[in-house]
Amino acid sequence: MDSAHVGDDLVKVLYTEDQIQDRLREMAAQIDADYAGKDLLIVGVLKGAVMVMADLARSLTSHVEMDWMAVSSYGSGTQSSGVVRILKDLDADISDRHVLIVDEIIDTGLTLTWLTSNLASRNPASVEIATLLRKPEAQRMPVDVKYVGFDIPNEFVVGYGLDFKERYRNLRDIGTLAPHVYS
Ligand code: PRP
């Protein structure tokens, strides 16, 4: 769906489908260069990262293996506690492998801080992070991110994998949700 299909649910479109694809191509070129000659496993964090994984992986010009994790953050409502439970673990053994975690957003940073340290404990050759979006003002944990698409304001954004109550994930653009939708 396009932003035209969600009526006045968005205050504004932050990034169009074309802008997202352009940025992902730039990130993919950097990843291709950095991992040239290396065997790379990219790990998508379900569910939000599905779109980024699909488009970033297809923008790469080298072979890449794809795996998935699903995690759930303990905490009430939108307040993340930093304690994470694994709902679906990797299929792959990552020892001695180069791992790139792919997510669509870093908000507080708690999820990826936990996930990076969890994967690092499995003796990979390296663990790095690629995220399409990052909210610097919302971050509670410093996260060492190698690839960032866009830094965005601390607003409620949806689309391109990002949801509100499981809706808007299939919106092609990324937009700021109007307060009347969530308040
Ligand atoms: C989102 C996103 C990150 C996490 C970031 O997932 O995919 O994994 O939140 O938030 P944090 O930096 O505050 O930890 P979410 O828990 O919304 O699940 P989803 O991907 O299934 O929508």
Side-chain angles (χ1 to χ4, degrees):
M1 67 200 309
D2 302 314
S3 42
H5 297 125
V6 296
D8 61 357
D9 290 3
L10 300 183
V11 176
K12 62 174 183 279
V13 172
L14 269 185
Y15 298 104
T16 63
E17 181 181 20
D18 286 348
Q19 290 172 317
I20 295 167
Q21 296 304 328
D22 286 349
R23 187 71 187 106
L24 286 177
R25 271 191 288 274
E26 292 172 357
M27 292 168 73
Q30 193 63 55
I31 293 167
D32 272 328
D34 291 349
Y35 290 92
K38 292 179 179 159
D39 167 43
L40 177 62
L41 173 73
I42 58 174
V43 172
V45 187
L46 294 168
K47 306 171 197 170
V50 166
M51 313 297 177
V52 185
M53 278 286 275
D55 290 334
L56 184 68
R58 285 181 294 178
S59 290
L60 295 170
T61 58
S62 345
H63 286 291
V64 72
E65 188 177 327
M66 299 168 76
D67 205 343
W68 302 90
M69 280 189 82
V71 296
S72 165
S73 199
Y74 288 106
S76 56
T78 55
Q79 200 62 41
S80 174
S81 64
V83 182
V84 173
R85 182 165 54 115
I86 295 177
L87 303 177
K88 186 228 168 283
D89 207 339
L90 295 175
D91 294 332
D93 175 355
I94 61 169
S95 56
D96 297 324
R97 301 199 60 186
H98 293 284
V99 176
L100 179 62
I101 303 170
V102 176
D103 213 340
E104 83 287 10
I105 192 164
I106 294 180
D107 202 323
T108 62
L110 295 170
T111 305
L112 284 188
T113 298
W114 185 92
L115 197 53
T116 307
S117 109
N118 180 284
L119 297 189
S121 72
R122 306 183 194 192
N123 301 313
S126 66
V127 183
E128 301 289 354
I129 297 170
T131 183
L132 179 63
L133 304 176
R134 179 173 62 183
K135 286 184 180 173
E137 294 155 33
Q139 248 175 274
R140 287 166 53 196
M141 296 288 279
V143 189
D144 192 12
V145 188
K146 193 162 185 186
Y147 309 97
V148 181
F150 304 106
D151 278 324
I152 61 167
N154 191 10
E155 293 170 345
F156 202 141
V157 292
V158 294
Y160 200 69
L162 289 152
D163 75 306
F164 171 63
K165 293 190 173 174
E166 297 301 327
R167 300 180 72 181
Y168 306 100
R169 289 195 200 273
N170 60 326
L171 179 62
R172 292 177 186 276
D173 311 315
I174 293 170
T176 308
L177 197 62
H180 72 83
V181 179
Y182 58 85
S183 56

